[in-house]
Amino acid sequence: MEAIILIGAPGSGKGTTAEGITAATGYIHVATGDMLREAVAGGSAVGRAAESHMKRGALVPDEVIIQLVEERLAGGSPDGCYMFDGFPRTLRQAELLDGSLAKRNGVLDNVFYLDASRELVISRLTGRRTCRECGTNFHVVNIPPKKEGICDLCGGELYIRPDDKEDTIVKRLEVFHRQTGGLISYYEAKGVLFTVDASQAKEEIIAEVVALMRAR
Ligand code: AMP
């Protein structure tokens, strides 16, 4: 098993970058935020445990996340190449992922930190519109859908995620710096961290990340 990780503040473009990487490399995309939103929509036990934390812009407890990821890996291919998006978000999750990879003779190849300014992520998140059906993201200015309120891909309804309201955004950014920021030095010390300028166009970000992956 091989793995890469995308780290970045909410709105830094992790999801869009991940889609581009999957298309270029076939890596299996594991996005804990998407998995949690599906669990909330489906009303499962995990969804019920996660919902109030997500609405507040707080992190879901480590135990819930670890169980979710372990189940995903246990049900997946043991030789697969995985791309984690939005996971790990705490030092504890990072340490548990190390253990989980070691148990499967897995290797953590690269960690990409999408570095974005506060102004950039706030403008991206306040304009973000997400498809209720397939989860694709649009932006009212940067990536407008062809027909307002409708997903170009599947025709689903576009909505504002409950955690994309302005005061929740501020809280999520604060949570990122306080709880996830420490992972940058954790992975730097392991010699696997690459910092990518997230203000570039998405095509440039994807090309840079894919080139770095292939160079290893
Ligand atoms: P995202 O789509 O990655 O921005 O995640 C949306 C929300 O899901 C976050 O604000 C958290 O409440 C929760 N979440 C997603 N991934 C994690 C994680 N690895 N640890 C804790 N909470 C998470």
Side-chain angles (χ1 to χ4, degrees), residues 83-150:
M83 169 177 41
F84 294 104
D85 156 7
F87 169 85
R89 261 172 151 106
T90 63
L91 203 51
R92 175 132 189 274
Q93 290 180 20
E95 286 166 355
L96 286 162
L97 176 62
D98 287 345
S100 191
L101 285 171
K103 194 169 76 185
R104 296 177 165 85
N105 291 324
V107 187
L108 176 59
D109 288 326
N110 303 125
V111 177
F112 297 101
Y113 168 45
L114 301 183
D115 186 14
S117 71
R118 184 180 172 84
E119 294 70 38
L120 179 68
V121 298
I122 289 183
S123 89
R124 280 190 183 159
L125 292 176
T126 49
R128 180 155 77 178
R129 299 293 180 269
T130 303
C131 176
R132 221 181 259 290
E133 301 302 323
C134 72
T136 302
N137 288 320
F138 295 84
H139 187 280
V140 286
V141 179
N142 307 340
I143 325 168
K146 290 196 184 81
K147 201 166 162 214
E148 200 186 322
I150 307 287

Side-chain angles (χ1 to χ4, degrees), residues 10 14 32-34 36-37 50 53-55 57-62 65 85-90 93 128 161 163 172:
K14 296 188 299 291
T32 44
D34 290 347
L36 290 169
R37 276 184 290 281
H53 301 283
M54 294 173 76
K55 270 209 177 116
L59 292 188
V60 171
D62 286 339
I65 301 293
D85 156 7
F87 169 85
R89 261 172 151 106
T90 63
Q93 290 180 20
R128 180 155 77 178
R161 274 172 44 177
D163 57 351
R172 285 163 66 205

